[in-house]
Amino acid sequence: MTFSHLDAGTPEGHWQAAGVSGVREAPGRGRLPAETLLVVVAAHPDDETLGATGLIRSVLGAGGSVRVVMASLGERSHPDSPTHTPEQLIAVRRAELASALEALGTGHRDRIELVGLGLPDGDVAAHTDRVRAVVVDLLDGHTGPAVLATHYRADGHADHDALGHVVSALAADRGLDLYEFPIWFWHWADPARDPDWRDWVRWPLAAEARAARRDALAAHASQVEPLSPAPGDEAILGPGMLEHFVGRSFDVYRYTAPEAAAGAGTASTASTASTASASSAASPSARATEVFDRLYREREDPWGYRSSWYERRKRLVTLAALPRERYGTVLEAGSSIGVLTGDLAERAERVIGLEASGVAIREARRALAGRSGVTFEQVVLPDQWPNRLPGGGPADLVVLSEIGYFLSAPELERLLDHLERSLALSGHLVSCHWRQEVEGWPLDGDEVHERVAADPRFRLVSRHLEQDFVVDVLTRASAADRVAVVVPARNEEDLLPGCLQALARAADRWEEVHAQGSVQVVVALDDCTDATAHRAEAVVAGDPRFHVMDLADEASPAGAPASGPANVGRARDLGLRRAVELLSRSGGAQRTWVASTDADTVVPPDWLVAQTALAAREDGPVVVAGTVGLDASGVDPQVLRRWLRDYTHGEDHGHVHAANLGLSWEAYERLGGFPHTAEHEDVALVEAARAAGVPVLATDRIRAVTSGRTTGRTAGGFAGYLRGLVTDAG
């Protein structure tokens, strides 16, 4: 999830119209024993006020005590501040937090205490073991009932999500009531598209609680007011954001009862699943929870993951089948006691294990204690698949580790629906299942793999088949098998190397999911008078996928419009045609995709794969038009602010950038290609597509970064647009 506090966000009126005030009232309200300990685990000062005021005031009013565990002091709240260093912000926010707790504890100040951890702002996920240890100490030191409150585990902020996951796991382990408070969720979510909130609970706020919140928020002056008039010192919590909290007469929590936390789950891996049996009256997922909790209680390692050569070899085969050397986020469904999880962690930045059995999860956490980047979540699959992942981004790899046969066919279909939404556009799906007979469960391993392979949203990359097991690697369906890219360049000696290095990464990613030699990139030199040609040759030397084409030496290829004077439209068109010609030498009736970028632009690694994956969802030809982000280095701050204010990053946007554009070669030829004009050739091509009935998919899921220069290679174009912002700012 990507958002900014500068975004307009979802108005509170939309939440009210959707019925947020009508969610059911929290069951625990009104029956809090006087001995209750409430532990509020928050990431940054002000989170405790925004998220937990209702709980804090109710527990204090009932005679209980509150411990606010503050992970960090939020020193990165204003990273671009010209007036405050992070060290200065620590001092400011520490003092503000003390005043806010005075306000929240009004009348009961002796029963609310702060436990500060001093963790680095923005990196709480690397220190969750310490968070857990501190909360455990607080719970162990209390003899009465206890309640836990923390961030909603899918709030979209890395620190928030990390705390949500670690505290929810602890609540499950201890059998405690858990209240998760959303904060940024209200800002970025769509009430219609993110419907989970309808199952949350409402905690009414008395007038004194609302007053305490207002006073506490006022104490957090560095967040609700600008630090100074300078750019970078803007208020973090604007009026629209605050309206979600001060404008309501209630708090909203995701509430998990102890029995729900302790009983959630679905099947773990089971290469000898025929030993498991349960009442046929239960649903497959419910049966799995019951059976595997029992099995893990009886034996710590029921299938010999740690001792069996068969199991070890199967893991080695699975790991060897992964097309990519390293992944960012890995989601493992059916993580069991964490043996494969630990192996995956060697190839990834972070691994999230989803597992049914709380017994198995406890053993996995013990075995992987101290391993950074590994978390576990106890869930019932498919229907408790996490809506948001830690860090907010998609999963680069999803592993279905021998769980498919414990689901019914409709449940497997729902599982595929969930994981498809979580999978990055260039991500991989790995499925590994035992092939022998499975008694007492709906499906067998071969049927699971055939159903997954038959899903039109995925494409089989490789299959390893043995008598005992099968490992499939899949990726998203693609609209093309090979791709041609053009980069027009006129006097770009400084920026072209960065562009080509990024394109090499994108070509690598393409070949990871397609085939070696299925991408060709042409740098079309257009009347260059500097060292651009030399720089281009130096960067692409030795890479057969890249070619430099000097248009001064070229005639128009067959089928191209008549040649004319040097201009960017001509360079883009002739360069694409040369790249397609180079691809055609490999023969075969393959589907070809053509993509365009600019020499001052850096594309993301999944640029090519993502374009064709999105295009595959459409029936027939489609133009994929991505967005751009601005390289802010050297850009006037006022221009940057106007850019952020005026530019739309979202789906169905209205922008057209030749720096981030793609379509099928068939459609490109039908539309006549880029016209040979000095500027706006991209707009002309897109208008021609719309006129011909070719849909234009305007998406923010593919975003390139372009330079913020105001002097371009044509009179207009993007640089001209930015130059206009300079004039407006002046």
Side-chain angles (χ1 to χ4, degrees), residues 179-257:
Y179 291 88
E180 298 174 57
F181 44 81
I183 293 181
W184 288 109
F185 174 85
W186 305 119
H187 177 70
W188 58 256
D190 182 325
R193 295 183 181 179
D194 301 279
D196 287 358
W197 61 272
R198 297 184 183 278
D199 296 323
W200 296 350
V201 299
R202 174 173 47 88
W203 194 286
L205 298 174
E208 55 85 18
R210 299 182 70 184
R213 169 171 282 163
R214 285 194 297 269
D215 292 345
L217 281 174
H220 289 295
S222 68
Q223 306 302 294
V224 299
E225 299 175 3
L227 293 174
S228 81
D233 276 355
E234 297 86 358
I236 302 300
L237 302 173
M241 180 64 175
L242 289 172
E243 187 66 17
H244 300 311
F245 304 95
V246 299
R248 296 177 182 175
S249 60
F250 53 88
D251 282 343
V252 177
Y253 302 105
R254 180 190 181 188
Y255 170 67
T256 306

Side-chain angles (χ1 to χ4, degrees), residues 325-359:
E325 183 177 5
R326 285 195 63 78
Y327 290 84
T329 297
V330 175
L331 197 57
E332 182 193 5
S335 53
S336 184
I337 58 175
V339 180
L340 178 59
T341 315
D343 292 336
L344 291 169
E346 299 294 329
R347 302 269 297 271
E349 300 302 319
R350 65 191 65 83
V351 182
I352 303 103
L354 306 179
E355 172 55 49
S357 170
V359 181

Side-chain angles (χ1 to χ4, degrees), residues 383-400:
D383 296 327
Q384 288 187 355
W385 185 272
N387 291 325
R388 297 289 185 276
L389 304 183
D396 302 295
L397 171 66
V398 175
V399 178
L400 298 183

Side-chain angles (χ1 to χ4, degrees), residues 267-329:
S268 65
T269 58
S271 59
T272 56
S274 60
T275 62
S277 62
S279 168
S280 60
S283 71
S285 58
R287 292 167 58 198
T289 299
E290 175 187 347
V291 169
F292 290 106
D293 261 346
R294 184 175 69 248
L295 287 175
Y296 282 114
R297 288 191 184 98
E298 293 172 353
R299 287 187 294 165
E300 181 181 285
D301 186 4
W303 295 282
Y305 293 134
R306 294 168 176 156
S307 58
S308 165
W309 166 242
Y310 165 81
E311 291 293 343
R312 182 186 172 199
R313 179 176 171 274
K314 185 176 60 177
R315 290 195 301 276
L316 291 172
V317 170
T318 301
L319 293 165
L322 298 179
R324 203 172 301 164
E325 183 177 5
R326 285 195 63 78
Y327 290 84
T329 297

